[in-house]
Amino acid sequence: AWDSAAAKSYAMLRSNSVRHHTALHHQDIMIAAQALSRDCMLVTSEQGFAALGEGLRVVDWTAAAVSGH
C-alpha cells in the first residue's frame, strides 16, 4: 500500500535523483520508495539507484548472476 512513509521516501529519492542528474523513471523511484520505507532491499540492475540514497539498500542482480551467488 502507498502510505505517507512511502510518499516521504519518494520525495527524498526524487529530490536526490534531480540533484544528482540521475535519469530514473518515476515508477522506478516509486518502487524504490516502497523498499526504503519498509527497510527492504531493492534488487535491480539500474546503477542510478546507488547514488540516491541514505538508507536505500541496493543489490545489482546482474552482478550476482555473473558471480554465481
Side-chain angles (χ1 to χ4, degrees):
W2 189 258
D3 57 15
S4 62
K8 288 176 185 176
S9 294
Y10 177 86
M12 186 268 298
L13 292 171
R14 178 74 176 118
S15 174
N16 287 352
S17 174
V18 170
R19 186 174 329 124
H20 294 291
H21 306 287
T22 306
L24 295 168
H25 198 272
H26 76 317
Q27 283 131 333
D28 293 332
I29 297 173
M30 290 178 78
I31 294 167
Q34 289 282 9
L36 179 60
S37 69
R38 286 161 177 72
D39 194 30
C40 294
M41 190 171 298
L42 178 66
V43 180
T44 181
S45 63
E46 177 59 64
Q47 298 297 314
F49 283 108
L52 294 190
E54 303 102 32
L56 181 62
R57 296 179 295 143
V58 180
V59 172
D60 182 349
W61 66 269
T62 61
V66 170
S67 70
H69 295 113

